Amino acid sequence: MMDMYIGIDLGGTNIAAGIVDENGKIVAKDSTPTLSSRSYQEIVKDMADLSFKLIEKAEISISDIKAAGIGTPGSVDAKNGVVYYANNLNFKNTPLREELQKYINVPVAVENDANAAAFGEYKATGVNSSCFIAVTLGTGVGGGIVINGEIFRGFNGAAGEVGHTTLITDGILCSCGKKGCWEAYASVTALIRQTKVAIEKHPESLMVEIVKKNNNEVSGRTAFDAAKRGDGAAQQVVDQYVRYVADGITDMINIFQPEILVISGGISREGEYLVKPVREYVKKNGYNKGALPMTKIQAATLLNDAGIVGAAYAAELLVK
């Protein structure tokens, strides 16, 4: 029997988890709402309940689980399994490892969620690269940097918070308390806000029809779907959003010059419709202007499973 690992992707909206085998294949997965205003004890209890549900679903026993990994928002002390600070979950010096081990007696890795997602993507597509970056566009904007096969965390575990670089001085207020962060413009949360503004200005837009068919809910796909059908107002939203994304990615490439940079998160399902204009912008505006080999920019392959798989790989590192 293969070694099995639990991978938990803790998000501001949902807790997603999976049983992952030693080859990185998810054999069972499910999710439950985070309800992020609750105490960390209640959230971890739900992680444990979800894990046991998946063990049953995979038709294995707890003895088959070698380790568990949690990818969590915020600054993480990976060595001690503690979240120093996560603004969207109200975590401060939160002992996630210790709390989960009250329910599941296996080694537990705790990693920043974007680092975990990056490590999952790295193992899937970038293992031959000496420098690999994954940018996750979701509720926020996260980043993970893998150098020579190891997650780069900085001296204090807080590196990789690329979403909180400044895109526009004194711009929109970010959830971190600073104004003008890249996250406030390039996250899917920001895209939804930008789409709603455009819908108010353009009631004739196809976006209105799409929203009505989607139970009056605006999503990250709304503008992209309408733009593909030739809607001018939607295309303006997409073009501006892509520019915000590409500006930040250009900065990442100027600083790190990775061999591969992947764009992950649900919006990466747009594939080349999103990635091609980003590539073109970076080629035109990146510092090296093509004088040196260029970073390969591509959509993620694991999509929403990256956090689960990456958390499981982080767990595997604990016991190998």
Side-chain angles (χ1 to χ4, degrees):
M1 172 113 183
M2 283 192 192
D3 290 346
M4 295 288 178
Y5 302 89
I6 298 168
I8 299 169
D9 183 10
L10 172 60
T13 307
N14 288 304
I15 303 165
I19 305 295
V20 183
D21 71 20
E22 61 194 41
N23 296 321
K25 182 185 173 189
I26 297 175
V27 297
K29 69 174 178 177
D30 207 341
S31 66
T32 189
T34 307
L35 306 175
S36 60
S37 61
R38 297 183 299 163
S39 70
Y40 77 85
Q41 290 94 339
E42 291 173 292
I43 291 171
V44 172
K45 171 74 164 56
D46 277 358
M47 284 185 201
D49 289 347
L50 188 58
S51 297
F52 283 113
K53 179 181 174 184
L54 290 169
I55 287 167
E56 191 176 322
K57 192 173 178 181
E59 298 181 340
I60 60 174
S61 72
I62 187 66
S63 62
D64 297 314
I65 301 295
K66 300 299 175 190
I70 304 169
T72 172
S75 304
V76 173
D77 174 359
K79 184 179 177 184
N80 294 304
V82 172
V83 182
Y84 289 130
Y85 174 70
N87 65 297
N88 61 340
L89 289 170
N90 299 311
F91 284 179
K92 198 166 185 182
N93 296 320
T94 301
L96 284 191
R97 172 187 292 160
E98 183 184 298
E99 192 65 25
L100 187 62
Q101 284 179 327
K102 290 177 182 177
Y103 302 95
I104 305 173
N105 188 25
V106 296
V108 175
V110 180
E111 187 57 76
N112 169 270
D113 56 351
N115 283 350
F119 199 54
E121 290 292 348
Y122 165 77
K123 295 281 271 188
T125 61
V127 285
N128 295 320
S129 54
S130 61
C131 184
F132 176 96
I133 293 178
V135 173
T136 305
L137 307 177
T139 308
V141 172
I145 303 151
V146 182
I147 298 175
N148 296 325
E150 293 189 1
I151 295 168
F152 177 71
R153 300 185 181 91
F155 85 97
N156 58 2
E161 288 291 346
V162 299
H164 301 290
T165 53
T166 300
L167 187 71
I168 296 172
T169 302
D170 286 330
I172 293 166
L173 183 67
C174 180
S175 63
C176 76
K178 185 164 75 78
K179 288 184 177 179
C181 287
W182 187 26
E183 178 171 299
Y185 294 87
S187 62
V188 175
T189 307
L191 172 58
I192 290 169
R193 186 185 67 244
Q194 293 152 18
T195 303
K196 286 177 178 175
V197 169
I199 287 171
E200 282 181 22
K201 285 184 182 174
H202 300 278
E204 78 290 350
S205 167
L206 270 175
M207 292 186 286
V208 175
E209 177 190 319
I210 289 170
V211 170
K212 280 179 183 171
K213 285 182 179 175
N214 196 32
N215 297 320
N216 292 319
E217 189 177 321
V218 177
S219 74
R221 293 181 55 186
T222 303
F224 278 89
D225 287 351
K228 287 172 190 171
R229 289 167 58 185
D231 186 81
Q235 190 63 57
Q236 285 181 339
V237 173
V238 169
D239 289 346
Q240 182 63 74
Y241 176 72
V242 167
R243 170 73 187 272
Y244 290 141
V245 171
D247 252 333
I249 284 175
T250 303
D251 292 345
M252 296 302 106
I253 289 172
N254 283 344
I255 295 165
F256 290 98
Q257 296 298 340
E259 282 140 284
I260 300 173
L261 183 145
V262 302
I263 300 172
S264 66
I267 201 74
S268 67
R269 291 179 193 276
E270 298 296 337
E272 285 297 294
Y273 200 79
L274 169 70
V275 176
K276 188 172 181 236
V278 169
R279 225 180 263 130
E280 289 167 357
Y281 184 88
V282 172
K283 188 175 181 181
K284 182 180 175 184
N285 295 285
Y287 179 74
N288 88 42
K289 299 289 188 293
L292 296 166
M294 297 282 289
T295 296
K296 184 179 179 184
I297 303 171
Q298 61 192 45
T301 55
L302 296 177
L303 298 171
N304 290 344
D305 290 339
I308 293 173
V309 174
Y313 275 129
E316 183 185 42
L317 288 177
L318 284 181
V319 293
K320 288 218 165 175

